Amino acid sequence: MKVSGMLGSDLAMAPLAAAELENRGYDALFTAEINNDPFLPLLMAAEHSQAIRLTTSIAVAFARNPMTVAQQVWDINQFSGGRVSVGLGSQIKPHITRRFSMPWSRPAARMGEFVRAMKAIWHSWQTGEKLAFEGEFYNHTLMTPMFTPPNNGCEAPRVNVAAVGPLMTETAAGVADGMIAHGFTTPKYLREVTLPAVERGLETSGRERSDFEINCPAMVVCGTDEASFKQNLQAVKAQLGFYASTPAYRPVLELHGWGDLQTEANALTRQGRWDELGNLIDGDILDNFALVCEDLAQMPTAFKSRFGTLIDNWQCTFESGDAETQRQLLTAIRNTEN
């Protein structure tokens, strides 16, 4: 299993953070599009690292178009010596239409076409072949030599698509190199919903499961001492409560018979009672959505037992203390047998 670490969005800290993540032994680092652009810190990370893989997790696809994303990712990939992959997410309709003022329709179909268009653009830049992508949502049919970027021989970047529901998951497995499962997921949901959808998508593209990478920011409650454990516990419960309030994630709860939790959590958000969301997460819900392990030494074995057959890359946001402790933890996760 591979392990990725979160870079963060502070441009001033990106050089040091990238070097530290590489020093700690992460296989990759990732940026997220929350309240900052995800590509700028990735560029700085490329300059201040040597071998670690670089990715967005995620960049909002529908806030952009295939050409703009293709250009940004191509440039960073060339600059980094071919270490970049791009993780794309659809976001939800209110953000696309009201925050970004961009069109929204049939997100799975649009995402599939977005990825195909982007790959067609890269293929044109790599081979010199005429760009002739025509689809339902995107058309890219003009590429002159003046606007064709330099190619230093790097392979085209890999593409991961964020997915929760079966339709987007199947789409991801049909067109992308990997998927990013949501942190608000459970082993049961991965086994019964995600993996069957992946297999259906892979069948349409004529690939095997080994050709496709499943990334997941699986949640962990752990700590180096009692105080850090309790702090981490409260933070994870609050995050789970926030996710539970989102209508798009209700199917994950319904699989476990907890659909009413989404209604209750959503009502709290409408009343502005954000600080109370974590109180809705009882022990049973917590244990299904997060790996709870009070003994840090036992965490790698427990993690591999829980996720080892389900995911290929853990997007780790869990901090275990000093650099050496984190390095040992990552090594143990990679080496522990399922």
Side-chain angles (χ1 to χ4, degrees), residues 291 293 298-307:
L291 172 64
C293 190
Q298 298 300 316
M299 197 277 276
T301 300
F303 187 91
K304 289 291 285 287
S305 176
R306 184 179 177 107
F307 293 108

Side-chain angles (χ1 to χ4, degrees), residues 6 17 73 78 90 92 132 195 205 284 317:
M6 188 170 184
V73 176
Q78 296 282 308
S90 61
I92 58 176
L195 291 180
S205 59
D284 191 23
T317 57

Side-chain angles (χ1 to χ4, degrees), residues 166-181:
L167 185 56
M168 186 66 83
T169 301
E170 188 172 335
T171 297
V175 301
D177 303 293
M179 68 165 288
I180 305 166

Side-chain angles (χ1 to χ4, degrees), residues 184-228:
F184 192 70
T185 193
T186 67
K188 177 180 175 69
Y189 191 85
L190 288 170
R191 285 192 301 269
E192 297 184 12
V193 179
T194 301
L195 291 180
V198 166
E199 291 298 334
R200 292 193 299 272
L202 290 174
E203 186 175 357
T204 66
S205 59
R207 295 181 295 167
E208 302 293 331
R209 171 67 180 85
S210 58
D211 300 321
F212 188 77
E213 183 174 76
I214 297 179
N215 304 269
C216 183
M219 296 188 191
V220 170
V221 177
C222 204
T224 55
D225 53 36
E226 184 178 357
S228 63

